[in-house]
Amino acid sequence: MNEVNSDNWKELNYNVDSLWIINERDKSGKHSNFYHGNFIPQIPNQLIRRYTAPGDLVMELFAGSGTTLFECESLGRPYIGYDINAEVIDYVNNTMAATRWMWYSMLNCDVTDSEDFHNKTRQGLSQLNKANADFLIAHPPYLDIVKFSDDPRDLSNISDLDLFLSKLKEAFTNGLSYLKKGGYFAVVMGDIYKNSEVVPLAFYTMDLIKRNFNVKLKGIVVKNIEGNRGKLGALNIWKYRAMKSDYFLFKHEYIFVFKKMF
Ligand SMILES: C[S@@+](CC[C@H](N)C(=O)[O-])C[C@H]1O[C@@H](n2cnc3c(N)ncnc32)[C@H](O)[C@@H]1O
């Protein structure tokens, strides 16, 4: 972690509130927002600045379109990311080619497959001359609510909650085995509706981590899901449908922060 002292605390300016209202997506630099289901760059930006120092290694399960990687490049943190979707990895590598920043490894890998994960991680670590990760972040699919690919190993193709959670546990076991003791682990997750009721997927995920790993829960941050003026018409249709029926519109997701104690 960066050391905070009376001289630098204002400049570091971490958001230490448990409620994050961020209304504008950062679209600067390489961030393009083309990938449906990506998170906003301000999430990894805050977490990386708070939980790592320059030169520390950031590891990301379910890396997607490179949002965290692009922040790592700007902030000078080496990076290893994993995704099952080869197309999105090609996109990220092509985008990265523009600046020729070499301190990263984007791995095409099923993060629930221990053998594949360990083989590729060993390669990635040696390429970056690192022994372990200083910070771990994961933004998994929210069950099958947004489908990312047709690959049956893609967690977004699982509709059964228990199977999904067991796969998440495998992924977290793999990722946490490379996080240094005392390092921080952040998970971004949302709740969903299924069969006419709320499935508190985020809380199930938090509970899964607390029950299965020796970690301390350091934060539950509620983050707004940002509005998008272009989608105002669609939002009105959703509002109308919600008012006609008995449900609420999701306007938030969660960021859970854990500290690894083993
Ligand atoms: C919610 S998205 C992550 C988006 C990312 N935060 C971004 O900003 O682009 C989840 C990602 O998990 C990937 N994924 C799903 N199942 C996976 C698996 N078994 N192993 C590795 N990646 C997987 C999907 O391909 C998708 O890119």
Side-chain angles (χ1 to χ4, degrees), residues 25 35-40 60-68 82-85 88 109-113 139-142 148-149 153-156:
R25 170 181 285 271
Y35 199 51
H36 189 46
N38 61 2
F39 55 22
I40 65 170
E60 180 170 45
L61 309 172
F62 311 103
S65 60
T67 315
T68 303
Y82 309 80
D83 204 284
I84 204 153
N85 183 344
V88 82
C109 174
D110 173 4
V111 293
T112 70
D113 177 338
H139 182 209
Y142 299 173
F148 290 97
S149 72
R153 299 169 305 165
D154 181 334
L155 266 52
S156 69

PDB file of all heavy atoms in Angstrom, residues 25 35-40 60-68 82-85 88 109-113 139-142 148-149 153-156, ligand 1:
ATOM      1  N   ARG A  25     -18.578   8.296 -16.720  1.00  0.00           N
ATOM      2  CA  ARG A  25     -17.534   7.308 -17.002  1.00  0.00           C
ATOM      3  C   ARG A  25     -16.290   8.013 -17.534  1.00  0.00           C
ATOM      4  O   ARG A  25     -16.399   8.898 -18.392  1.00  0.00           O
ATOM      5  CB  ARG A  25     -18.076   6.330 -18.046  1.00  0.00           C
ATOM      6  CG  ARG A  25     -17.070   5.389 -18.634  1.00  0.00           C
ATOM      7  CD  ARG A  25     -17.719   4.506 -19.667  1.00  0.00           C
ATOM      8  NE  ARG A  25     -18.520   3.480 -19.037  1.00  0.00           N
ATOM      9  CZ  ARG A  25     -18.046   2.282 -18.670  1.00  0.00           C
ATOM     10  NH1 ARG A  25     -16.797   1.972 -18.896  1.00  0.00           N
ATOM     11  NH2 ARG A  25     -18.827   1.404 -18.105  1.00  0.00           N
ATOM     12  N   TYR A  35     -17.269  -2.758 -24.590  1.00  0.00           N
ATOM     13  CA  TYR A  35     -17.538  -4.122 -24.112  1.00  0.00           C
ATOM     14  C   TYR A  35     -18.716  -4.094 -23.157  1.00  0.00           C
ATOM     15  O   TYR A  35     -18.628  -3.510 -22.065  1.00  0.00           O
ATOM     16  CB  TYR A  35     -16.284  -4.640 -23.403  1.00  0.00           C
ATOM     17  CG  TYR A  35     -16.162  -6.133 -23.229  1.00  0.00           C
ATOM     18  CD1 TYR A  35     -16.328  -7.014 -24.287  1.00  0.00           C
ATOM     19  CD2 TYR A  35     -15.834  -6.672 -21.984  1.00  0.00           C
ATOM     20  CE1 TYR A  35     -16.169  -8.384 -24.117  1.00  0.00           C
ATOM     21  CE2 TYR A  35     -15.670  -8.039 -21.817  1.00  0.00           C
ATOM     22  CZ  TYR A  35     -15.834  -8.880 -22.877  1.00  0.00           C
ATOM     23  OH  TYR A  35     -15.669 -10.236 -22.704  1.00  0.00           O
ATOM     24  N   HIS A  36     -19.800  -4.729 -23.548  1.00  0.00           N
ATOM     25  CA  HIS A  36     -20.996  -4.727 -22.705  1.00  0.00           C
ATOM     26  C   HIS A  36     -20.691  -5.509 -21.422  1.00  0.00           C
ATOM     27  O   HIS A  36     -20.274  -6.660 -21.484  1.00  0.00           O
ATOM     28  CB  HIS A  36     -22.133  -5.393 -23.485  1.00  0.00           C
ATOM     29  CG  HIS A  36     -23.447  -5.261 -22.796  1.00  0.00           C
ATOM     30  ND1 HIS A  36     -23.899  -4.071 -22.266  1.00  0.00           N
ATOM     31  CD2 HIS A  36     -24.427  -6.166 -22.570  1.00  0.00           C
ATOM     32  CE1 HIS A  36     -25.085  -4.263 -21.735  1.00  0.00           C
ATOM     33  NE2 HIS A  36     -25.431  -5.509 -21.899  1.00  0.00           N
ATOM     34  N   GLY A  37     -20.852  -4.875 -20.270  1.00  0.00           N
ATOM     35  CA  GLY A  37     -20.547  -5.573 -19.016  1.00  0.00           C
ATOM     36  C   GLY A  37     -19.204  -5.179 -18.444  1.00  0.00           C
ATOM     37  O   GLY A  37     -18.733  -5.810 -17.497  1.00  0.00           O
ATOM     38  N   ASN A  38     -18.575  -4.149 -19.009  1.00  0.00           N
ATOM     39  CA  ASN A  38     -17.307  -3.681 -18.416  1.00  0.00           C
ATOM     40  C   ASN A  38     -17.611  -2.818 -17.190  1.00  0.00           C
ATOM     41  O   ASN A  38     -18.741  -2.406 -16.972  1.00  0.00           O
ATOM     42  CB  ASN A  38     -16.475  -2.895 -19.445  1.00  0.00           C
ATOM     43  CG  ASN A  38     -17.186  -1.661 -19.957  1.00  0.00           C
ATOM     44  OD1 ASN A  38     -18.289  -1.339 -19.542  1.00  0.00           O
ATOM     45  ND2 ASN A  38     -16.563  -0.961 -20.871  1.00  0.00           N
ATOM     46  N   PHE A  39     -16.582  -2.546 -16.379  1.00  0.00           N
ATOM     47  CA  PHE A  39     -16.811  -1.597 -15.276  1.00  0.00           C
ATOM     48  C   PHE A  39     -16.162  -0.264 -15.601  1.00  0.00           C
ATOM     49  O   PHE A  39     -15.399  -0.153 -16.556  1.00  0.00           O
ATOM     50  CB  PHE A  39     -16.438  -2.149 -13.901  1.00  0.00           C
ATOM     51  CG  PHE A  39     -15.056  -2.676 -13.659  1.00  0.00           C
ATOM     52  CD1 PHE A  39     -13.975  -2.313 -14.434  1.00  0.00           C
ATOM     53  CD2 PHE A  39     -14.831  -3.558 -12.597  1.00  0.00           C
ATOM     54  CE1 PHE A  39     -12.706  -2.798 -14.178  1.00  0.00           C
ATOM     55  CE2 PHE A  39     -13.565  -4.058 -12.334  1.00  0.00           C
ATOM     56  CZ  PHE A  39     -12.506  -3.671 -13.126  1.00  0.00           C
ATOM     57  N   ILE A  40     -16.506   0.755 -14.814  1.00  0.00           N
ATOM     58  CA  ILE A  40     -15.977   2.070 -15.154  1.00  0.00           C
ATOM     59  C   ILE A  40     -14.547   2.189 -14.622  1.00  0.00           C
ATOM     60  O   ILE A  40     -14.220   1.655 -13.558  1.00  0.00           O
ATOM     61  CB  ILE A  40     -16.869   3.230 -14.669  1.00  0.00           C
ATOM     62  CG1 ILE A  40     -16.940   3.289 -13.159  1.00  0.00           C
ATOM     63  CG2 ILE A  40     -18.268   3.140 -15.246  1.00  0.00           C
ATOM     64  CD1 ILE A  40     -17.604   4.568 -12.677  1.00  0.00           C
ATOM     65  N   GLU A  60      -5.606  -9.792 -12.231  1.00  0.00           N
ATOM     66  CA  GLU A  60      -7.055  -9.650 -12.434  1.00  0.00           C
ATOM     67  C   GLU A  60      -7.667 -10.906 -13.035  1.00  0.00           C
ATOM     68  O   GLU A  60      -7.315 -11.320 -14.144  1.00  0.00           O
ATOM     69  CB  GLU A  60      -7.345  -8.462 -13.350  1.00  0.00           C
ATOM     70  CG  GLU A  60      -8.851  -8.292 -13.584  1.00  0.00           C
ATOM     71  CD  GLU A  60      -9.229  -7.002 -14.291  1.00  0.00           C
ATOM     72  OE1 GLU A  60      -8.566  -6.666 -15.283  1.00  0.00           O
ATOM     73  OE2 GLU A  60     -10.187  -6.353 -13.847  1.00  0.00           O
ATOM     74  N   LEU A  61      -8.634 -11.497 -12.307  1.00  0.00           N
ATOM     75  CA  LEU A  61      -9.436 -12.597 -12.841  1.00  0.00           C
ATOM     76  C   LEU A  61     -10.586 -11.977 -13.626  1.00  0.00           C
ATOM     77  O   LEU A  61     -11.125 -10.957 -13.215  1.00  0.00           O
ATOM     78  CB  LEU A  61     -10.005 -13.442 -11.693  1.00  0.00           C
ATOM     79  CG  LEU A  61      -9.009 -13.909 -10.632  1.00  0.00           C
ATOM     80  CD1 LEU A  61      -9.755 -14.553  -9.460  1.00  0.00           C
ATOM     81  CD2 LEU A  61      -8.016 -14.892 -11.225  1.00  0.00           C
ATOM     82  N   PHE A  62     -11.013 -12.560 -14.727  1.00  0.00           N
ATOM     83  CA  PHE A  62     -12.137 -12.038 -15.528  1.00  0.00           C
ATOM     84  C   PHE A  62     -11.820 -10.627 -16.058  1.00  0.00           C
ATOM     85  O   PHE A  62     -12.550  -9.672 -15.817  1.00  0.00           O
ATOM     86  CB  PHE A  62     -13.438 -12.011 -14.699  1.00  0.00           C
ATOM     87  CG  PHE A  62     -13.738 -13.292 -13.967  1.00  0.00           C
ATOM     88  CD1 PHE A  62     -13.516 -13.422 -12.599  1.00  0.00           C
ATOM     89  CD2 PHE A  62     -14.237 -14.392 -14.651  1.00  0.00           C
ATOM     90  CE1 PHE A  62     -13.789 -14.606 -11.926  1.00  0.00           C
ATOM     91  CE2 PHE A  62     -14.511 -15.579 -13.985  1.00  0.00           C
ATOM     92  CZ  PHE A  62     -14.294 -15.683 -12.624  1.00  0.00           C
ATOM     93  N   ALA A  63     -10.709 -10.528 -16.774  1.00  0.00           N
ATOM     94  CA  ALA A  63     -10.152  -9.209 -17.102  1.00  0.00           C
ATOM     95  C   ALA A  63     -10.952  -8.425 -18.140  1.00  0.00           C
ATOM     96  O   ALA A  63     -10.907  -7.200 -18.161  1.00  0.00           O
ATOM     97  CB  ALA A  63      -8.719  -9.386 -17.591  1.00  0.00           C
ATOM     98  N   GLY A  64     -11.633  -9.125 -19.060  1.00  0.00           N
ATOM     99  CA  GLY A  64     -12.468  -8.434 -20.037  1.00  0.00           C
ATOM    100  C   GLY A  64     -11.677  -7.515 -20.947  1.00  0.00           C
ATOM    101  O   GLY A  64     -10.603  -7.863 -21.454  1.00  0.00           O
ATOM    102  N   SER A  65     -12.194  -6.301 -21.125  1.00  0.00           N
ATOM    103  CA  SER A  65     -11.721  -5.414 -22.204  1.00  0.00           C
ATOM    104  C   SER A  65     -10.532  -4.538 -21.823  1.00  0.00           C
ATOM    105  O   SER A  65     -10.236  -3.583 -22.528  1.00  0.00           O
ATOM    106  CB  SER A  65     -12.880  -4.544 -22.664  1.00  0.00           C
ATOM    107  OG  SER A  65     -13.354  -3.775 -21.576  1.00  0.00           O
ATOM    108  N   GLY A  66      -9.884  -4.808 -20.695  1.00  0.00           N
ATOM    109  CA  GLY A  66      -8.630  -4.108 -20.395  1.00  0.00           C
ATOM    110  C   GLY A  66      -8.777  -2.864 -19.532  1.00  0.00           C
ATOM    111  O   GLY A  66      -7.803  -2.136 -19.363  1.00  0.00           O
ATOM    112  N   THR A  67      -9.941  -2.644 -18.940  1.00  0.00           N
ATOM    113  CA  THR A  67     -10.142  -1.421 -18.143  1.00  0.00           C
ATOM    114  C   THR A  67      -9.071  -1.299 -17.047  1.00  0.00           C
ATOM    115  O   THR A  67      -8.452  -0.244 -16.878  1.00  0.00           O
ATOM    116  CB  THR A  67     -11.550  -1.427 -17.505  1.00  0.00           C
ATOM    117  OG1 THR A  67     -12.504  -1.820 -18.488  1.00  0.00           O
ATOM    118  CG2 THR A  67     -11.917  -0.070 -16.953  1.00  0.00           C
ATOM    119  N   THR A  68      -8.859  -2.391 -16.320  1.00  0.00           N
ATOM    120  CA  THR A  68      -7.878  -2.351 -15.221  1.00  0.00           C
ATOM    121  C   THR A  68      -6.460  -2.220 -15.773  1.00  0.00           C
ATOM    122  O   THR A  68      -5.640  -1.466 -15.233  1.00  0.00           O
ATOM    123  CB  THR A  68      -8.005  -3.627 -14.365  1.00  0.00           C
ATOM    124  OG1 THR A  68      -9.356  -3.717 -13.900  1.00  0.00           O
ATOM    125  CG2 THR A  68      -7.067  -3.611 -13.172  1.00  0.00           C
ATOM    126  N   TYR A  82      -6.499 -12.332 -16.883  1.00  0.00           N
ATOM    127  CA  TYR A  82      -6.943 -13.604 -17.451  1.00  0.00           C
ATOM    128  C   TYR A  82      -8.355 -13.436 -18.004  1.00  0.00           C
ATOM    129  O   TYR A  82      -9.222 -12.878 -17.322  1.00  0.00           O
ATOM    130  CB  TYR A  82      -7.034 -14.695 -16.374  1.00  0.00           C
ATOM    131  CG  TYR A  82      -5.805 -14.846 -15.527  1.00  0.00           C
ATOM    132  CD1 TYR A  82      -5.564 -13.965 -14.477  1.00  0.00           C
ATOM    133  CD2 TYR A  82      -4.893 -15.865 -15.769  1.00  0.00           C
ATOM    134  CE1 TYR A  82      -4.437 -14.100 -13.689  1.00  0.00           C
ATOM    135  CE2 TYR A  82      -3.757 -16.004 -14.976  1.00  0.00           C
ATOM    136  CZ  TYR A  82      -3.544 -15.122 -13.942  1.00  0.00           C
ATOM    137  OH  TYR A  82      -2.426 -15.250 -13.160  1.00  0.00           O
ATOM    138  N   ASP A  83      -8.567 -13.952 -19.177  1.00  0.00           N
ATOM    139  CA  ASP A  83      -9.941 -14.014 -19.691  1.00  0.00           C
ATOM    140  C   ASP A  83     -10.068 -15.213 -20.620  1.00  0.00           C
ATOM    141  O   ASP A  83      -9.104 -15.608 -21.272  1.00  0.00           O
ATOM    142  CB  ASP A  83     -10.338 -12.730 -20.424  1.00  0.00           C
ATOM    143  CG  ASP A  83     -11.848 -12.538 -20.428  1.00  0.00           C
ATOM    144  OD1 ASP A  83     -12.528 -13.241 -21.209  1.00  0.00           O
ATOM    145  OD2 ASP A  83     -12.358 -11.729 -19.625  1.00  0.00           O
ATOM    146  N   ILE A  84     -11.272 -15.758 -20.679  1.00  0.00           N
ATOM    147  CA  ILE A  84     -11.508 -16.938 -21.504  1.00  0.00           C
ATOM    148  C   ILE A  84     -11.801 -16.567 -22.953  1.00  0.00           C
ATOM    149  O   ILE A  84     -11.735 -17.418 -23.849  1.00  0.00           O
ATOM    150  CB  ILE A  84     -12.667 -17.762 -20.897  1.00  0.00           C
ATOM    151  CG1 ILE A  84     -12.542 -19.203 -21.345  1.00  0.00           C
ATOM    152  CG2 ILE A  84     -14.021 -17.181 -21.224  1.00  0.00           C
ATOM    153  CD1 ILE A  84     -13.159 -20.165 -20.387  1.00  0.00           C
ATOM    154  N   ASN A  85     -12.091 -15.296 -23.176  1.00  0.00           N
ATOM    155  CA  ASN A  85     -12.522 -14.844 -24.496  1.00  0.00           C
ATOM    156  C   ASN A  85     -11.308 -14.354 -25.309  1.00  0.00           C
ATOM    157  O   ASN A  85     -10.772 -13.271 -25.065  1.00  0.00           O
ATOM    158  CB  ASN A  85     -13.559 -13.714 -24.282  1.00  0.00           C
ATOM    159  CG  ASN A  85     -14.143 -13.196 -25.568  1.00  0.00           C
ATOM    160  OD1 ASN A  85     -13.607 -13.436 -26.648  1.00  0.00           O
ATOM    161  ND2 ASN A  85     -15.243 -12.472 -25.444  1.00  0.00           N
ATOM    162  N   VAL A  88     -11.509 -10.828 -27.054  1.00  0.00           N
ATOM    163  CA  VAL A  88     -11.337  -9.606 -26.251  1.00  0.00           C
ATOM    164  C   VAL A  88      -9.852  -9.440 -25.893  1.00  0.00           C
ATOM    165  O   VAL A  88      -9.343  -8.317 -25.798  1.00  0.00           O
ATOM    166  CB  VAL A  88     -12.288  -9.580 -25.015  1.00  0.00           C
ATOM    167  CG1 VAL A  88     -11.759 -10.374 -23.840  1.00  0.00           C
ATOM    168  CG2 VAL A  88     -12.538  -8.145 -24.586  1.00  0.00           C
ATOM    169  N   CYS A 109      -7.226 -17.816 -20.621  1.00  0.00           N
ATOM    170  CA  CYS A 109      -7.202 -18.884 -19.616  1.00  0.00           C
ATOM    171  C   CYS A 109      -8.578 -19.007 -18.958  1.00  0.00           C
ATOM    172  O   CYS A 109      -9.251 -18.013 -18.724  1.00  0.00           O
ATOM    173  CB  CYS A 109      -6.154 -18.491 -18.577  1.00  0.00           C
ATOM    174  SG  CYS A 109      -6.034 -19.551 -17.151  1.00  0.00           S
ATOM    175  N   ASP A 110      -8.951 -20.260 -18.670  1.00  0.00           N
ATOM    176  CA  ASP A 110     -10.133 -20.510 -17.843  1.00  0.00           C
ATOM    177  C   ASP A 110      -9.663 -20.433 -16.389  1.00  0.00           C
ATOM    178  O   ASP A 110      -8.924 -21.315 -15.933  1.00  0.00           O
ATOM    179  CB  ASP A 110     -10.693 -21.898 -18.171  1.00  0.00           C
ATOM    180  CG  ASP A 110     -11.809 -22.314 -17.240  1.00  0.00           C
ATOM    181  OD1 ASP A 110     -12.214 -21.506 -16.379  1.00  0.00           O
ATOM    182  OD2 ASP A 110     -12.288 -23.462 -17.385  1.00  0.00           O
ATOM    183  N   VAL A 111     -10.087 -19.410 -15.679  1.00  0.00           N
ATOM    184  CA  VAL A 111      -9.559 -19.204 -14.319  1.00  0.00           C
ATOM    185  C   VAL A 111     -10.053 -20.246 -13.323  1.00  0.00           C
ATOM    186  O   VAL A 111      -9.583 -20.299 -12.192  1.00  0.00           O
ATOM    187  CB  VAL A 111      -9.865 -17.777 -13.777  1.00  0.00           C
ATOM    188  CG1 VAL A 111      -9.107 -16.729 -14.570  1.00  0.00           C
ATOM    189  CG2 VAL A 111     -11.349 -17.486 -13.744  1.00  0.00           C
ATOM    190  N   THR A 112     -10.993 -21.105 -13.741  1.00  0.00           N
ATOM    191  CA  THR A 112     -11.442 -22.172 -12.841  1.00  0.00           C
ATOM    192  C   THR A 112     -10.633 -23.450 -13.059  1.00  0.00           C
ATOM    193  O   THR A 112     -10.814 -24.429 -12.340  1.00  0.00           O
ATOM    194  CB  THR A 112     -12.947 -22.494 -13.044  1.00  0.00           C
ATOM    195  OG1 THR A 112     -13.119 -23.124 -14.308  1.00  0.00           O
ATOM    196  CG2 THR A 112     -13.789 -21.241 -12.975  1.00  0.00           C
ATOM    197  N   ASP A 113      -9.788 -23.466 -14.062  1.00  0.00           N
ATOM    198  CA  ASP A 113      -8.999 -24.652 -14.389  1.00  0.00           C
ATOM    199  C   ASP A 113      -7.606 -24.492 -13.748  1.00  0.00           C
ATOM    200  O   ASP A 113      -6.751 -23.765 -14.263  1.00  0.00           O
ATOM    201  CB  ASP A 113      -8.900 -24.757 -15.923  1.00  0.00           C
ATOM    202  CG  ASP A 113      -8.034 -25.910 -16.385  1.00  0.00           C
ATOM    203  OD1 ASP A 113      -7.185 -26.393 -15.603  1.00  0.00           O
ATOM    204  OD2 ASP A 113      -8.192 -26.313 -17.551  1.00  0.00           O
ATOM    205  N   HIS A 139     -13.858  -9.158 -11.485  1.00  0.00           N
ATOM    206  CA  HIS A 139     -15.182  -8.657 -11.874  1.00  0.00           C
ATOM    207  C   HIS A 139     -15.839  -9.770 -12.695  1.00  0.00           C
ATOM    208  O   HIS A 139     -15.829  -9.727 -13.935  1.00  0.00           O
ATOM    209  CB  HIS A 139     -15.028  -7.367 -12.688  1.00  0.00           C
ATOM    210  CG  HIS A 139     -16.312  -6.749 -13.103  1.00  0.00           C
ATOM    211  ND1 HIS A 139     -16.451  -5.993 -14.258  1.00  0.00           N
ATOM    212  CD2 HIS A 139     -17.550  -6.759 -12.525  1.00  0.00           C
ATOM    213  CE1 HIS A 139     -17.688  -5.575 -14.365  1.00  0.00           C
ATOM    214  NE2 HIS A 139     -18.383  -6.022 -13.330  1.00  0.00           N
ATOM    215  N   PRO A 140     -16.408 -10.768 -11.995  1.00  0.00           N
ATOM    216  CA  PRO A 140     -16.961 -11.917 -12.722  1.00  0.00           C
ATOM    217  C   PRO A 140     -18.267 -11.561 -13.429  1.00  0.00           C
ATOM    218  O   PRO A 140     -18.877 -10.524 -13.156  1.00  0.00           O
ATOM    219  CB  PRO A 140     -17.251 -12.926 -11.596  1.00  0.00           C
ATOM    220  CG  PRO A 140     -16.664 -12.357 -10.347  1.00  0.00           C
ATOM    221  CD  PRO A 140     -16.563 -10.881 -10.546  1.00  0.00           C
ATOM    222  N   PRO A 141     -18.725 -12.445 -14.324  1.00  0.00           N
ATOM    223  CA  PRO A 141     -20.086 -12.271 -14.860  1.00  0.00           C
ATOM    224  C   PRO A 141     -21.087 -12.305 -13.703  1.00  0.00           C
ATOM    225  O   PRO A 141     -20.826 -12.905 -12.664  1.00  0.00           O
ATOM    226  CB  PRO A 141     -20.271 -13.511 -15.756  1.00  0.00           C
ATOM    227  CG  PRO A 141     -18.899 -13.995 -16.065  1.00  0.00           C
ATOM    228  CD  PRO A 141     -18.063 -13.643 -14.876  1.00  0.00           C
ATOM    229  N   TYR A 142     -22.220 -11.635 -13.904  1.00  0.00           N
ATOM    230  CA  TYR A 142     -23.287 -11.689 -12.896  1.00  0.00           C
ATOM    231  C   TYR A 142     -24.210 -12.845 -13.302  1.00  0.00           C
ATOM    232  O   TYR A 142     -25.242 -12.628 -13.951  1.00  0.00           O
ATOM    233  CB  TYR A 142     -24.057 -10.376 -12.846  1.00  0.00           C
ATOM    234  CG  TYR A 142     -23.216  -9.156 -12.463  1.00  0.00           C
ATOM    235  CD1 TYR A 142     -23.757  -7.880 -12.512  1.00  0.00           C
ATOM    236  CD2 TYR A 142     -21.891  -9.288 -12.056  1.00  0.00           C
ATOM    237  CE1 TYR A 142     -23.001  -6.761 -12.160  1.00  0.00           C
ATOM    238  CE2 TYR A 142     -21.127  -8.180 -11.709  1.00  0.00           C
ATOM    239  CZ  TYR A 142     -21.686  -6.921 -11.769  1.00  0.00           C
ATOM    240  OH  TYR A 142     -20.937  -5.814 -11.431  1.00  0.00           O
ATOM    241  N   PHE A 148     -21.164 -13.501 -22.396  1.00  0.00           N
ATOM    242  CA  PHE A 148     -19.944 -12.975 -23.014  1.00  0.00           C
ATOM    243  C   PHE A 148     -19.460 -13.795 -24.206  1.00  0.00           C
ATOM    244  O   PHE A 148     -18.826 -13.257 -25.093  1.00  0.00           O
ATOM    245  CB  PHE A 148     -18.832 -12.845 -21.966  1.00  0.00           C
ATOM    246  CG  PHE A 148     -19.107 -11.745 -20.980  1.00  0.00           C
ATOM    247  CD1 PHE A 148     -19.680 -12.010 -19.750  1.00  0.00           C
ATOM    248  CD2 PHE A 148     -18.842 -10.423 -21.307  1.00  0.00           C
ATOM    249  CE1 PHE A 148     -19.968 -10.996 -18.856  1.00  0.00           C
ATOM    250  CE2 PHE A 148     -19.121  -9.396 -20.420  1.00  0.00           C
ATOM    251  CZ  PHE A 148     -19.693  -9.688 -19.196  1.00  0.00           C
ATOM    252  N   SER A 149     -19.730 -15.110 -24.199  1.00  0.00           N
ATOM    253  CA  SER A 149     -19.294 -15.941 -25.336  1.00  0.00           C
ATOM    254  C   SER A 149     -20.113 -17.230 -25.318  1.00  0.00           C
ATOM    255  O   SER A 149     -20.894 -17.473 -24.399  1.00  0.00           O
ATOM    256  CB  SER A 149     -17.798 -16.273 -25.219  1.00  0.00           C
ATOM    257  OG  SER A 149     -17.604 -17.207 -24.173  1.00  0.00           O
ATOM    258  N   ARG A 153     -17.214 -23.083 -20.910  1.00  0.00           N
ATOM    259  CA  ARG A 153     -16.436 -22.809 -19.684  1.00  0.00           C
ATOM    260  C   ARG A 153     -16.631 -21.369 -19.209  1.00  0.00           C
ATOM    261  O   ARG A 153     -16.220 -21.008 -18.110  1.00  0.00           O
ATOM    262  CB  ARG A 153     -14.945 -23.059 -19.946  1.00  0.00           C
ATOM    263  CG  ARG A 153     -14.629 -24.490 -20.341  1.00  0.00           C
ATOM    264  CD  ARG A 153     -13.197 -24.584 -20.845  1.00  0.00           C
ATOM    265  NE  ARG A 153     -12.976 -23.630 -21.939  1.00  0.00           N
ATOM    266  CZ  ARG A 153     -11.771 -23.260 -22.397  1.00  0.00           C
ATOM    267  NH1 ARG A 153     -10.691 -23.757 -21.874  1.00  0.00           N
ATOM    268  NH2 ARG A 153     -11.671 -22.399 -23.391  1.00  0.00           N
ATOM    269  N   ASP A 154     -17.219 -20.541 -20.061  1.00  0.00           N
ATOM    270  CA  ASP A 154     -17.501 -19.142 -19.705  1.00  0.00           C
ATOM    271  C   ASP A 154     -18.590 -19.136 -18.621  1.00  0.00           C
ATOM    272  O   ASP A 154     -19.688 -19.672 -18.836  1.00  0.00           O
ATOM    273  CB  ASP A 154     -17.956 -18.415 -20.985  1.00  0.00           C
ATOM    274  CG  ASP A 154     -18.267 -16.944 -20.767  1.00  0.00           C
ATOM    275  OD1 ASP A 154     -18.624 -16.554 -19.642  1.00  0.00           O
ATOM    276  OD2 ASP A 154     -18.203 -16.201 -21.752  1.00  0.00           O
ATOM    277  N   LEU A 155     -18.291 -18.530 -17.485  1.00  0.00           N
ATOM    278  CA  LEU A 155     -19.238 -18.564 -16.361  1.00  0.00           C
ATOM    279  C   LEU A 155     -20.571 -17.890 -16.696  1.00  0.00           C
ATOM    280  O   LEU A 155     -21.571 -18.133 -16.022  1.00  0.00           O
ATOM    281  CB  LEU A 155     -18.608 -17.907 -15.124  1.00  0.00           C
ATOM    282  CG  LEU A 155     -17.895 -18.848 -14.143  1.00  0.00           C
ATOM    283  CD1 LEU A 155     -16.870 -19.741 -14.811  1.00  0.00           C
ATOM    284  CD2 LEU A 155     -17.265 -18.087 -13.002  1.00  0.00           C
ATOM    285  N   SER A 156     -20.575 -17.039 -17.722  1.00  0.00           N
ATOM    286  CA  SER A 156     -21.837 -16.385 -18.080  1.00  0.00           C
ATOM    287  C   SER A 156     -22.785 -17.348 -18.797  1.00  0.00           C
ATOM    288  O   SER A 156     -23.912 -16.972 -19.118  1.00  0.00           O
ATOM    289  CB  SER A 156     -21.588 -15.145 -18.938  1.00  0.00           C
ATOM    290  OG  SER A 156     -21.112 -15.481 -20.217  1.00  0.00           O
TER     291      SER A 156
HETATM  292  C1  LIG B   1     -17.992  -8.696 -16.186  1.00  0.00           C
HETATM  293  S1  LIG B   1     -16.817  -9.099 -17.438  1.00  0.00           S
HETATM  294  C2  LIG B   1     -15.375  -8.249 -16.936  1.00  0.00           C
HETATM  295  C3  LIG B   1     -15.323  -6.897 -17.581  1.00  0.00           C
HETATM  296  C4  LIG B   1     -14.076  -6.092 -17.234  1.00  0.00           C
HETATM  297  N1  LIG B   1     -14.091  -5.619 -15.855  1.00  0.00           N
HETATM  298  C5  LIG B   1     -14.001  -4.884 -18.170  1.00  0.00           C
HETATM  299  O1  LIG B   1     -14.002  -3.742 -17.682  1.00  0.00           O
HETATM  300  O2  LIG B   1     -13.976  -5.084 -19.378  1.00  0.00           O
HETATM  301  C6  LIG B   1     -16.500 -10.794 -17.094  1.00  0.00           C
HETATM  302  C7  LIG B   1     -15.449 -11.450 -17.969  1.00  0.00           C
HETATM  303  O3  LIG B   1     -15.242 -12.772 -17.484  1.00  0.00           O
HETATM  304  C8  LIG B   1     -14.836 -13.569 -18.578  1.00  0.00           C
HETATM  305  N2  LIG B   1     -14.969 -14.985 -18.168  1.00  0.00           N
HETATM  306  C9  LIG B   1     -16.115 -15.693 -18.016  1.00  0.00           C
HETATM  307  N3  LIG B   1     -15.841 -16.951 -17.626  1.00  0.00           N
HETATM  308  C10 LIG B   1     -14.494 -17.045 -17.511  1.00  0.00           C
HETATM  309  C11 LIG B   1     -13.607 -18.081 -17.135  1.00  0.00           C
HETATM  310  N4  LIG B   1     -14.058 -19.311 -16.795  1.00  0.00           N
HETATM  311  N5  LIG B   1     -12.276 -17.826 -17.119  1.00  0.00           N
HETATM  312  C12 LIG B   1     -11.804 -16.594 -17.472  1.00  0.00           C
HETATM  313  N6  LIG B   1     -12.600 -15.576 -17.841  1.00  0.00           N
HETATM  314  C13 LIG B   1     -13.928 -15.780 -17.853  1.00  0.00           C
HETATM  315  C14 LIG B   1     -15.727 -13.112 -19.723  1.00  0.00           C
HETATM  316  O4  LIG B   1     -15.166 -13.433 -20.962  1.00  0.00           O
HETATM  317  C15 LIG B   1     -15.802 -11.598 -19.453  1.00  0.00           C
HETATM  318  O5  LIG B   1     -14.861 -10.923 -20.238  1.00  0.00           O
END
